[in-house]
Amino acid sequence: MTVTMKGSEVAAAMKERLQREVAELRAQGVAPKAAIVRVGARPDDLAYERGAMKRLESVGIACQVFEFPETIGQKEFEAGFKAVNDDPEIHGILLFRPLPRHLDEEAVKRMIDPLKDIDSMSAPNIAKIFSGDETGYAPCTAEAVVHVLDHYGIEVQGRRVTVIGRSMVVGKPLTMLLIKRNATVTVCHTRTKDLPATCRSAEILVAAAGKAKMVTGDFVSDGAVVIDVGINVDDDGKLCGDVDYDAVAAKASHITPVPGGVGAVTSSVLADHVVRAARYLQGNA
Ligand code: NAD
């Protein structure tokens, strides 16, 4: 029977651990706190913000939103960002990106304290992921995939894993996290020839392409583990992943649903990074 890997189960297990860790920090006089920095008010940012705040607060992490007007100039935004970055009570910063086009995002990536860079936008953090140094913070979604695999006891060492997608947010960092765990990883993208055949050879398939239901039954061999990172809207206006769920679930041994899969774990990873940041900044990592 196919196992549905539920993000809520992974998040519940992480919550217990995080609550314990936050309590330990508080006992040492440290109150973990995150800042969400948002320019403008895009509906998808607001939706993620609500979910992230709820998750952070549920484990005892304080969260403050710093909202800047969409029309803010570079100098003014950098001054505002610097104030958040320099605030000793703030341990982790999540900046919603992309910034409006008139703002220089690269300059902000250079400004952020790497110890507070809980969503992995600074070069030092990215370098750590690519060099296998686990003291950095991986992008939350990429790391959420690893938590899902771990929670359901799926070993990756020595196994053939195919990742569809090579973005800096999901595909590439996830590939590095999997290599660190000794998986044999194939990365597919828009120029990959015969994508279904490449995917069929995988024991574990991760879809992070952002194309509604593109992974059909033809992409999956019997008994494969399938993780769907995609968040898309189908022709009927319903939320769906990159995987054609019913057709693929009929073949897979394990599969994540959308919604309710990887996406439900992302904000727990964010909370985990705030806890780690609070430890680093206190010098007791
Ligand atoms: P992206 O557009 O930056 O990258 C998509 C990648 O997929 C590219 O590398 C591209 O080469 C590849 N790709 C696209 N179409 C393809 C095709 N037909 N065949 C093969 N490869 C193809 O997207 P992203 O930011 O990496 O996000 C990917 C998906 O994950 C999106 O649906 C996004 O909404 C979702 N996402 C989910 C979460 C979450 O919390 N669950 C977080 C971030 C992104």
Side-chain angles (χ1 to χ4, degrees), residues 162-180:
T162 296
V163 177
I164 312 175
R166 57 175 166 185
S167 75
M168 284 299 285
V169 180
V170 190
K172 280 183 189 160
L174 174 59
T175 299
M176 293 303 135
L177 297 178
L178 292 166
I179 289 173
K180 173 79 183 168

Side-chain angles (χ1 to χ4, degrees), residues 141 165-167 170 189-190 195 208-211 214 229-232 263 266:
T141 305
R166 57 175 166 185
S167 75
V170 190
H189 44 77
T190 43
L195 186 64
K211 294 279 175 297
M214 67 167 277
V229 180
I231 299 179
N232 315 292
T266 305

Side-chain angles (χ1 to χ4, degrees), residues 75-208:
K75 262 197 171 156
E76 217 182 331
F77 180 60
E78 284 189 16
F81 191 83
K82 184 174 184 306
V84 178
N85 203 28
D86 291 348
D87 183 339
E89 291 194 351
I90 289 172
H91 302 106
I93 301 171
L94 170 67
L95 169 69
F96 282 120
R97 294 175 285 154
L99 290 174
R101 289 170 67 102
H102 68 278
L103 292 177
D104 179 0
E105 197 169 294
E106 294 307 313
V108 185
K109 287 182 188 170
R110 286 192 295 273
M111 278 177 75
I112 191 167
D113 178 347
L115 290 180
K116 297 189 177 187
D117 179 21
I118 53 174
D119 199 31
S120 198
M121 63 177 190
S122 66
N125 254 325
I126 293 165
K128 281 186 173 181
I129 296 153
F130 278 70
S131 65
D133 177 344
E134 290 179 336
T135 63
Y137 312 104
C140 295
T141 305
E143 197 178 318
V145 172
V146 176
H147 281 279
V148 171
L149 290 167
D150 281 351
H151 182 85
Y152 284 93
I154 292 158
E155 177 63 81
V156 300
Q157 175 154 312
R159 299 184 78 190
R160 294 185 305 279
V161 184
T162 296
V163 177
I164 312 175
R166 57 175 166 185
S167 75
M168 284 299 285
V169 180
V170 190
K172 280 183 189 160
L174 174 59
T175 299
M176 293 303 135
L177 297 178
L178 292 166
I179 289 173
K180 173 79 183 168
R181 289 167 171 241
N182 300 317
T184 302
V185 188
T186 302
V187 182
C188 298
H189 44 77
T190 43
R191 305 285 174 89
T192 298
K193 287 187 180 147
D194 201 355
L195 186 64
T198 308
C199 294
R200 263 198 311 275
S201 67
E203 294 167 275
I204 301 169
L205 176 62
V206 183

Side-chain angles (χ1 to χ4, degrees), residues 5 92 272:
M5 298 186 286
D272 180 64

